Amino acid sequence: MKEIENIEDYYYGSALTKMLYKQKNDYPDSNTIINLFIELCSTNIKNFISNSFQEEILDNFSTISDIKNKEISARWREYLSIRFAKDKKEHLPKTVFLYLEIFIYNNDPDYLLNALKLVKSAKALFNSEKENIYEIAKKTILEMNFSQPFLVKEITVELFSLNPARVQEDFGELLNQWIEKLQSNNDYNGAHHLILLLFDIKLISAIQSKIKLAENHEKNGDFESRNKKANTYYPTILSYYQNGSRELKSISGQDELKNRLHAKIISEQKQHAKMHLAVAKNYNNENSEIEKFSNEQSEYWLSLFETFDFQSGLQNLLSFPISLVNGFNTSPSENNSLSPFFDTVMKQDANGKIVGKTTLEMYSQIQDKRLLREAVISFIRKTKWRMDREEKIDKGYVQLLLKKMNTHFIPEDRIVIFVNGISAGFNNDFVTAAHLLVPQLENSFKHVLQIKNKITFKIDEEVQHDNTLGGILEILINNYQHSVFDELKDFLIENSSVNFRNELCHGILPPFIIEHYGIYVWWLTLKMIRDCEEIFILHS
């Protein structure tokens, strides 16, 4: 224990943790004990999981008075106050005053908050000291002023539990002044915290709180709106006004404020629509060749697969070939005008970051796949328009449809997710369909491979994680002859292509892009389910 006892005072927080790790390196023979104190000083004491060894060391506190470091001593005593309830009177007050001493030394509010929470948990033990503790916390709040509203809120709420009436008297008028100052400084997030504090210390009712929050949201939206640049997308402005309107949803009256917010919401939504249309127009102008090819090719396919109603459309979608890449000549890469000057192509996102890099030859292949994919999406969408009914497609029908397909592609415990995803697609909610079906495609690939006795995890590693989707698709490409797996790799995970799976899962894609490709995911899923045995045929 000497390695712990000899740690000097004034090492607190991260500095203490670093010192403990230094002791661990300097005294390797004492690592077990030092590790125990590293855990004690870096974990919430209530979550500190003791075992027989820890209990043996920490329960014997005969040497605690030899500890020089206040934080080690405070945490040890806090542990003892929880471990031995009958000794709380001895250990808890010492714990609180040690935390307060640390706070006075380093001005770190976490120590003050911890002390106040411990006082709240056993107020009777601090009757003679409550006034002194209150004054320390009050002085801290006044020094913070409105510069740290979140911490002001946290400390004041704890202080309220010690003396509610005095907190209301000391801070009621002051908090309202601070809210006005924060709003005049355009710090609406700070004002939000202090409005919530007024409610927490019972100075305003729940209804008054909602009205103040709604007004604060409106001011935040107005500020952002006044400072926005032309032809720039600002999604947060609409969300501020919507949040304000939602605060008032359950409140009667306040019609003027409600109407004002509603008018601003409608105005912002119109701006959003214009922005989306401008993006779509720009996208179409840059890709007129793809659009022309997609329309011509999809019309040709529609003449071969005629759709008259729902059943004929469904049959056409299920019959349409899942992979047309092989032997389909689109735009020959050897004629690419950039090839004499560049040998690599980079993909940028909307913020200008480089998110993909590939060779010019690979880029030409990606573009060929994209050209064909867009034509297939156009065919699926036009077929879907012709087969749509006025009434929604029932999930019971979809479940029966999947049951008739009698497929190994769907694990038994995932049928509900597939039914929900495919039902969403039948009812033209392709954003929901994409979010539900993309993760299940990955799981189903593993499921089919396991049925066929293929290993889908990293068997030779100590921690045998599952292969990523990229690893699973490589297994499929190497073992199965169907070219759909090359298309899935390009579409789902290739950084320089759509990269749909990764950008969907990370929330990068805007809704209209998810909807555009969601119909393709929905159709691919239907085809994989129906044609599972045909698709998963081993190379001979």
Side-chain angles (χ1 to χ4, degrees):
M1 287 287 288
K2 290 294 182 186
E3 298 80 4
I4 303 298
E5 293 170 10
N6 292 335
I7 295 176
E8 295 294 331
D9 198 12
Y10 310 122
Y11 286 102
Y12 305 130
S14 59
L16 175 59
T17 304
K18 288 178 183 177
M19 175 54 70
L20 285 166
Y21 276 105
K22 182 179 182 300
Q23 296 292 84
K24 183 178 174 180
N25 290 331
D26 293 345
Y27 302 99
D29 293 340
S30 301
N31 273 2
T32 307
I33 290 177
I34 296 173
N35 281 336
L36 169 61
F37 278 89
I38 288 174
E39 185 181 355
L40 180 71
C41 292
S42 59
T43 308
N44 185 313
I45 302 297
K46 290 183 178 179
N47 299 330
F48 183 72
I49 302 171
S50 62
N51 55 39
S52 56
F53 165 76
Q54 292 170 332
E55 290 172 2
E56 182 182 343
I57 298 296
L58 295 176
D59 292 359
N60 178 13
F61 55 92
S62 58
T63 61
I64 198 168
S65 58
D66 298 326
I67 298 292
K68 298 177 182 177
N69 185 277
K70 289 187 181 71
E71 183 165 356
I72 294 176
S73 181
R75 285 181 167 273
W76 195 350
R77 289 188 182 278
E78 186 178 350
Y79 163 82
L80 292 169
S81 72
I82 296 170
R83 175 102 170 101
F84 302 108
K86 61 182 176 61
D87 295 329
K88 181 177 284 191
K89 187 175 181 179
E90 175 186 353
H91 295 295
L92 194 62
K94 292 177 181 178
T95 302
V96 167
F97 293 118
L98 283 168
Y99 282 139
L100 288 174
E101 284 183 49
I102 297 170
F103 166 69
I104 291 168
Y105 173 78
N106 67 3
N107 208 31
D108 185 337
D110 284 340
Y111 293 98
L112 174 60
L113 276 169
N114 207 4
L116 290 173
K117 288 174 182 177
L118 292 174
V119 171
K120 184 171 70 174
S121 70
K123 284 186 276 191
L125 296 179
F126 299 91
N127 283 331
S128 61
E129 297 292 340
K130 272 198 291 188
E131 178 67 20
N132 183 38
I133 295 170
Y134 183 94
E135 288 300 326
I136 292 171
K138 177 183 174 181
K139 179 174 179 288
T140 303
I141 294 168
L142 293 175
E143 286 175 351
M144 284 181 177
N145 205 316
F146 56 90
S147 61
Q148 300 180 69
F150 177 75
L151 279 172
V152 167
K153 176 179 179 292
E154 293 291 294
I155 295 170
T156 309
V157 166
E158 297 302 329
L159 203 57
F160 183 71
S161 67
L162 299 187
N163 195 330
R166 190 169 170 193
V167 166
Q168 290 176 335
E169 180 183 347
D170 288 345
F171 296 103
E173 185 178 347
L174 194 59
L175 287 173
N176 282 299
Q177 292 173 5
W178 287 353
I179 289 168
E180 289 181 11
K181 288 180 180 178
L182 286 167
Q183 289 176 336
S184 66
N185 292 340
N186 302 313
D187 183 358
Y188 301 100
N189 187 50
H192 184 94
H193 289 304
L194 296 192
I195 292 168
L196 291 175
L197 176 56
L198 287 174
F199 172 69
D200 289 338
I201 62 175
K202 304 185 187 308
L203 283 171
I204 58 175
S205 67
I207 291 176
Q208 290 171 320
S209 170
K210 287 179 178 293
I211 294 169
K212 284 181 176 291
L213 289 171
E215 290 171 336
N216 189 62
H217 284 305
E218 182 187 25
K219 289 175 182 177
N220 200 350
D222 290 348
F223 170 71
E224 295 286 343
S225 185
R226 285 194 302 271
N227 292 280
K228 66 181 179 182
K229 298 176 183 177
N231 301 319
T232 305
Y233 185 49
Y234 290 87
T236 55
I237 296 174
L238 176 59
S239 68
Y240 290 138
Y241 293 142
Q242 288 175 327
N243 289 339
S245 181
R246 289 180 187 124
E247 291 288 353
L248 302 173
K249 186 176 179 181
S250 59
I251 297 176
S252 58
Q254 296 298 316
D255 292 340
E256 183 180 347
L257 178 56
K258 286 179 181 178
N259 292 337
R260 202 165 62 234
L261 284 166
H262 292 166
K264 291 174 181 179
I265 289 170
I266 292 168
S267 174
E268 279 300 311
Q269 286 176 333
K270 287 178 180 177
Q271 292 297 318
H272 281 215
K274 288 179 182 178
M275 189 65 66
H276 288 151
L277 285 172
V279 171
K281 182 179 179 182
N282 183 55
Y283 182 85
N284 288 333
N285 287 342
E286 291 180 357
N287 297 279
S288 57
E289 180 187 346
I290 291 178
E291 184 178 1
K292 180 182 177 184
F293 174 83
S294 298
N295 284 330
E296 291 176 354
Q297 191 61 47
S298 61
E299 289 298 328
Y300 170 68
W301 288 332
L302 286 168
S303 69
L304 300 178
F305 294 86
E306 293 186 83
T307 295
F308 305 103
D309 54 18
F310 178 84
Q311 287 301 331
S312 62
L314 177 59
Q315 184 58 42
N316 288 336
L317 290 179
L318 294 174
S319 302
F320 191 79
I322 196 171
S323 182
L324 294 168
V325 176
N326 290 344
F328 196 97
N329 187 23
T330 52
S331 54
S333 58
E334 61 267 23
N335 293 330
N336 196 309
S337 60
L338 298 176
S339 56
F341 308 103
F342 304 102
D343 58 357
T344 60
V345 177
M346 293 185 180
K347 177 184 174 184
Q348 289 182 308
D349 70 1
N351 296 316
K353 291 188 298 183
I354 304 299
V355 296
K357 180 180 178 181
T358 188
T359 65
L360 193 60
E361 180 182 0
M362 181 61 71
Y363 174 73
S364 295
Q365 294 177 21
I366 289 170
Q367 289 299 91
D368 289 348
K369 286 186 170 70
R370 178 187 173 194
L371 198 60
L372 184 61
R373 186 184 302 124
E374 293 300 326
V376 172
I377 290 173
S378 179
F379 166 77
I380 298 167
R381 196 172 295 280
K382 290 173 181 177
T383 301
K384 187 72 175 58
W385 289 340
R386 297 181 185 191
M387 63 185 280
D388 277 348
R389 299 171 171 177
E390 289 186 8
E391 67 273 14
K392 289 183 68 173
I393 301 300
D394 184 72
K395 289 181 183 178
Y397 168 81
V398 175
Q399 188 163 9
L400 184 62
L401 176 67
L402 298 184
K403 186 176 181 181
K404 285 181 179 178
M405 290 181 181
N406 190 28
T407 180
H408 296 301
F409 191 72
I410 304 178
E412 189 175 341
D413 63 342
R414 305 299 172 91
I415 184 67
V416 173
I417 302 177
F418 275 94
V419 167
N420 286 336
I422 292 168
S423 297
F426 271 123
N427 293 300
N428 297 315
D429 182 2
F430 296 111
V431 173
T432 298
H435 280 93
L436 288 172
L437 296 175
V438 166
Q440 297 312 311
L441 283 175
E442 182 173 349
N443 182 67
S444 286
F445 293 151
K446 295 175 186 176
H447 174 67
V448 174
L449 286 171
Q450 288 163 2
I451 290 173
K452 295 180 179 292
N453 296 317
K454 296 291 180 184
I455 295 172
T456 61
F457 58 92
K458 298 173 182 178
I459 193 170
D460 295 323
E461 296 187 6
E462 183 179 356
V463 179
Q464 297 176 321
H465 291 298
D466 276 357
N467 277 305
T468 60
L469 178 57
I472 294 296
L473 287 171
E474 285 298 327
I475 295 172
L476 292 168
I477 289 167
N478 293 333
N479 288 276
Y480 297 95
Q481 61 192 11
H482 209 290
S483 57
V484 69
F485 300 121
D486 288 300
E487 161 62 7
L488 288 167
K489 181 181 177 183
D490 180 89
F491 171 59
L492 293 175
I493 61 170
E494 172 55 55
N495 285 335
S496 298
S497 185
V498 180
N499 198 18
F500 187 69
R501 179 263 190 193
N502 295 330
E503 296 201 358
L504 176 77
C505 292
H506 292 293
I508 297 170
L509 296 175
F512 67 91
I513 295 294
I514 302 173
E515 196 278 339
H516 177 74
Y517 289 115
I519 193 170
Y520 187 54
V521 170
W522 171 76
W523 173 75
L524 280 171
T525 304
L526 277 173
K527 289 290 291 180
M528 300 294 288
I529 293 169
R530 180 179 181 265
D531 299 338
C532 178
E533 296 304 320
E534 175 189 332
I535 291 168
F536 290 89
I537 298 175
L538 284 168
H539 282 303
S540 58

